[in-house]
Amino acid sequence: QKEVEQDPGPLSVPEGAIVSLNCTYSNSAFQYFMWYRQYSRKGPELLMYTYSSGNKEDGRFTAQVDKSSKYISLFIRDSQPSDSATYLCAMCTGGGNKLTFGTGTQLKVEL
Amino acid sequence: DGGITQSPKYLFRKEGQNVTLSCEQNLNHDAMYWYRQDPGQGLRLIYYSQIVNDFQKGDIAEGYSVSREKKESFPLTVTSAQKNPTAFYLCASSPRTGTLPGELFFGEGSRLTVL
């Protein structure tokens, strides 16, 4: 079993839809949770960052962490074609920036 | 502009050849990393370096080698011992202090194809 599980998709939604992306994990020592966005043939860029449980909102994006269920989510409101990308969840225990990544979910937002 | 530059973007190699991928950063970051990305596997850590002249193996270091002679540079050599070298390789960096754990800055990647 992988430490971090993420549905690879692809996920296709119409413009304006609410998108929900999820990851589950098995290591209870993870404390820092990230979502990276990766456009085709590019490197990932940090999109959202949360520490411990709770919600964090940034514009159309909301990151949610439920440590009791070992489950993290990224919600995208009013999705746009420019949101079409692969979304990677990542997490670490805190020391040394050694991240464990999910496989990534490919999202396509269609006009 | 500050950032991470990887070269070449695309590289073709014959079996049995070593190849070196370049990674240069002008962000004044102490730590640098090499990841490999394959379809369905996410990013896997090959090597990382927290400081000049020091580096550690990641989860899949076999068949790879690195050096860290300068703060700005962290080249990766894919040797002929690497059994499945065809992949997308990503270099990243982060400051050692004053940043959030897990906040990495990535280059645009190098795609290596073994013929």
Side-chain angles (χ1 to χ4, degrees):
Chain A
Q1 185 191 3
K2 291 182 180 177
E3 256 189 314
V4 178
E5 298 277 1
Q6 184 176 9
D7 187 337
L11 179 63
S12 184
V13 301
E15 184 179 8
I18 297 174
V19 176
S20 173
L21 305 169
N22 311 294
C23 289
T24 59
Y25 62 95
S26 56
N27 186 351
S28 57
F30 288 139
Q31 293 190 71
Y32 300 88
F33 304 91
M34 289 130 269
W35 287 94
Y36 281 83
R37 178 175 61 193
Q38 184 178 23
Y39 290 113
S40 182
R41 297 189 182 88
K42 300 289 187 184
E45 56 179 343
L46 184 63
L47 182 63
M48 294 289 286
Y49 189 106
T50 50
Y51 168 67
S52 197
S53 284
N55 290 4
K56 183 176 181 181
E57 190 173 319
D58 185 1
R60 296 184 295 110
F61 299 91
T62 299
Q64 196 172 73
V65 174
D66 182 348
K67 289 191 76 179
S68 62
S69 302
K70 298 191 181 69
Y71 189 88
I72 70 170
S73 300
L74 177 70
F75 298 97
I76 307 174
R77 290 183 299 281
D78 188 24
S79 55
Q80 303 295 309
S82 58
D83 295 327
S84 298
T86 296
Y87 291 81
L88 298 143
C89 64
M91 45 201 81
C92 65
T93 60
N97 277 346
K98 199 156 176 264
L99 294 180
T100 301
F101 283 87
T103 54
T105 299
Q106 187 181 351
L107 171 67
K108 184 172 182 181
V109 181
E110 300 188 7
L111 290 167
Chain B
D1 283 333
I4 299 177
T5 302
Q6 289 188 241
S7 63
K9 280 194 181 308
Y10 299 94
L11 185 62
F12 296 88
R13 182 195 100 174
K14 291 183 181 178
E15 278 193 33
Q17 288 180 335
N18 291 355
V19 63
T20 297
L21 307 179
S22 169
C23 178
E24 303 278 332
Q25 54 101 357
N26 59 5
L27 299 168
N28 199 32
H29 286 173
D30 292 297
M32 297 187 74
Y33 309 79
W34 274 104
Y35 285 89
R36 170 181 172 142
Q37 187 173 30
D38 297 280
Q41 300 239 32
L43 273 66
R44 291 182 291 166
L45 183 63
I46 304 172
Y47 268 98
Y48 63 104
S49 167
Q50 302 276 30
I51 198 167
V52 174
N53 291 323
D54 187 44
F55 48 83
Q56 287 77 40
K57 292 182 179 180
D59 301 317
I60 55 163
E62 186 176 348
Y64 299 98
S65 65
V66 293
S67 63
R68 187 84 188 277
E69 297 175 2
K70 297 186 299 182
K71 187 176 183 178
E72 303 79 21
S73 179
F74 191 41
L76 173 75
T77 297
V78 185
T79 76
S80 56
Q82 168 50 231
K83 290 182 171 48
N84 296 297
T86 294
F88 189 51
Y89 291 89
L90 287 159
C91 180
S93 71
S94 69
R96 282 186 73 195
T97 57
T99 189
L100 302 167
E103 185 179 15
L104 300 183
F105 297 80
F106 284 89
E108 295 213 333
S110 293
R111 184 165 298 278
L112 171 64
T113 302
V114 173
L115 304 171

